[in-house]
Amino acid sequence: MIENISDNLTIRKSDGKVKLSIANVSTNWLGEYDMFFDRLENINLNPVFLDEHLAFEIKVKNILDEAISNPKPSKAIELLDRVIYYDENYAEALINKSYALRQQKHFVKALRYYKKAVKSDRAFEDFGYFKKLLSEANAERDDFPKLKRNIYAGDEYFSKGEYEKAVNNYQKALKDSSRFKDMILFKLLNKTGTAYLKLDDFKTALDCFRRSAEVSQNDYAYFGLGVCQYHLGLDVDDSFKRPLKLSKSQKLSQAMILNDLGFFEESLKICDNLFENHFAVDDFYFRLINVKMYAVRQLGLDISPLEKLLDAL
């Protein structure tokens, strides 16, 4: 059980349950050994923004609890994705996304999230669940039409870092692109473009992302276009210069590229958004500080708050 993290944290106990409150946010009543308390160990908390970090962790925990109690898998997944955006290794969110996907009979995807959860925390290893899910996933793959089988095979190769094999499977699927709905086609083009990015084939990747944006306007395609244009020495489209709905690592890459291209105000906006959603003092956090510091310095703004932050860490 956690004690005395912050003078501003209120800890209430009743009948073996615990409730935490800070800055006008509170947890639900939690069991004394809820896994959430592991996240609140001193080693996991930001000492500079301690109260802010605690408050955000509580907000995210409440989203997780809402997702777990929601009977609709689609709504649960929507909520769980918000938790996973905050922390891509949040094991409890990953395992519950596996359960929700299984409810939707997306067994291959459910298996993927089960593996992610176990990789993050072995406490979620469940051989019985894994064995049943593996059987269901194999049966689902066997029933896939050839087009879908190629996409999933590409995804498996991509996850293993075998990008040429991933491209080959994605391209096989794209040969019959006229049979895809737009929602599937633009995502497949993004997958293909990303695999080409991994192979440093920026010209081919550029074509994939351009086609994806033509099929359906989407932020990932704009990100991919900007990355390709940057590496090819081309003018970067304006669509790349604004905050996009991306993963945290992609947003940081976007900010770094914008810095390199001299778009410091645009980079700073992205960095500030990331600071609002990331408190863990990890490698990402230090990289984010340095990227923001570069933009601040180039704009002639005061960098002393960031220097003090680094010193305090």
Side-chain angles (χ1 to χ4, degrees):
M1 180 50 210
I2 206 139
E3 300 281 357
N4 301 323
I5 308 172
S6 166
D7 291 339
N8 296 315
L9 181 69
T10 300
I11 303 174
R12 295 169 58 195
K13 299 180 182 180
S14 177
D15 297 328
K17 299 287 186 179
V18 182
K19 175 175 282 195
L20 306 182
S21 303
I22 192 170
N24 298 318
V25 294
S26 302
T27 65
N28 299 311
W29 285 102
L30 308 173
E32 286 190 82
Y33 301 102
D34 194 292
M35 297 183 74
F36 176 63
F37 297 122
D38 294 339
R39 298 185 63 85
L40 305 188
E41 293 180 358
N42 285 326
I43 194 173
N44 296 324
L45 294 171
N46 189 318
V48 180
F49 300 106
L50 179 59
D51 289 355
E52 293 90 338
H53 192 175
L54 287 169
F56 211 93
E57 284 286 347
I58 289 173
K59 290 177 183 177
V60 172
K61 168 62 172 171
N62 290 339
I63 294 171
L64 175 64
D65 288 346
E66 184 183 352
I68 292 172
S69 64
N70 197 297
K72 296 182 179 179
S74 59
K75 180 59 179 178
I77 289 171
E78 179 185 325
L79 293 166
L80 290 166
D81 282 342
R82 291 170 60 187
V83 179
I84 295 168
Y85 171 78
Y86 174 64
D87 180 357
E88 63 182 11
N89 295 312
Y90 207 128
E92 198 170 357
L94 294 168
I95 194 66
N96 278 282
K97 184 166 181 179
S98 174
Y99 299 153
L101 286 166
R102 184 168 180 259
Q103 279 187 273
Q104 294 181 321
K105 300 189 184 301
H106 296 315
F107 303 116
V108 173
K109 289 182 180 179
L111 180 62
R112 192 176 303 157
Y113 275 90
Y114 169 78
K115 291 179 178 178
K116 288 181 179 180
V118 172
K119 184 178 180 181
S120 179
D121 189 339
R122 293 298 291 262
F124 287 102
E125 196 166 30
D126 181 340
F127 183 72
Y129 177 73
F130 170 71
K131 186 177 180 181
K132 189 169 184 178
L133 185 55
L134 181 62
S135 175
E136 292 168 334
N138 288 335
E140 183 185 19
R141 285 192 190 93
D142 290 341
D143 288 339
F144 280 163
K146 188 175 180 180
L147 287 175
K148 195 171 184 179
R149 198 175 303 154
N150 281 324
I151 296 174
Y152 274 81
D155 291 345
E156 292 297 318
Y157 283 126
F158 189 95
S159 67
K160 297 175 184 177
E162 299 180 46
Y163 303 118
E164 289 186 2
K165 291 181 179 178
V167 162
N168 288 337
N169 279 275
Y170 292 147
Q171 289 290 11
K172 287 178 183 177
L174 283 170
K175 287 181 180 178
D176 295 308
S177 60
S178 61
R179 296 172 60 184
F180 289 118
K181 294 180 180 179
D182 287 352
M183 179 64 72
I184 298 176
L185 180 56
F186 87 78
K187 291 181 178 179
L188 175 55
L189 287 165
N190 285 341
K191 289 174 184 282
T192 310
T194 304
Y196 277 117
L197 276 182
K198 293 290 187 180
L199 295 169
D200 292 335
D201 186 347
F202 302 111
K203 288 185 178 179
T204 309
L206 180 70
D207 180 62
C208 291
F209 291 123
R210 185 169 284 139
R211 289 170 61 195
S212 171
E214 290 171 354
V215 172
S216 177
Q217 296 180 2
N218 66 95
D219 282 3
Y220 191 88
Y222 298 144
F223 171 72
L225 278 170
V227 171
C228 293
Q229 289 164 340
Y230 168 73
H231 284 287
L232 293 169
L234 304 173
D235 290 336
V236 173
D237 292 348
D238 287 340
S239 58
F240 181 78
K241 300 172 187 175
R242 59 182 175 81
L244 300 172
K245 292 182 180 178
L246 303 166
S247 71
K248 286 184 180 179
S249 61
Q250 290 161 351
K251 286 184 178 180
L252 186 58
S253 296
Q254 181 190 10
M256 292 171 67
I257 290 174
L258 289 171
N259 270 349
D260 203 33
L261 294 173
F263 299 107
F264 305 116
E265 290 183 359
E266 291 83 350
S267 175
L268 191 56
K269 287 180 182 178
I270 294 167
C271 289
D272 286 341
N273 173 262
L274 287 169
F275 267 111
E276 293 173 0
N277 292 277
H278 194 91
F279 292 92
V281 183
D282 51 14
D283 178 65
F284 180 92
Y285 194 67
F286 285 107
R287 288 167 57 210
L288 174 57
I289 292 172
N290 286 319
V291 172
K292 180 174 179 177
M293 185 177 288
Y294 185 84
V296 168
R297 184 181 289 114
Q298 296 302 313
L299 290 168
L301 304 175
D302 182 13
I303 66 169
S304 60
L306 290 168
E307 291 177 326
K308 290 178 181 178
L309 173 57
L310 281 174
D311 290 340
L313 297 171

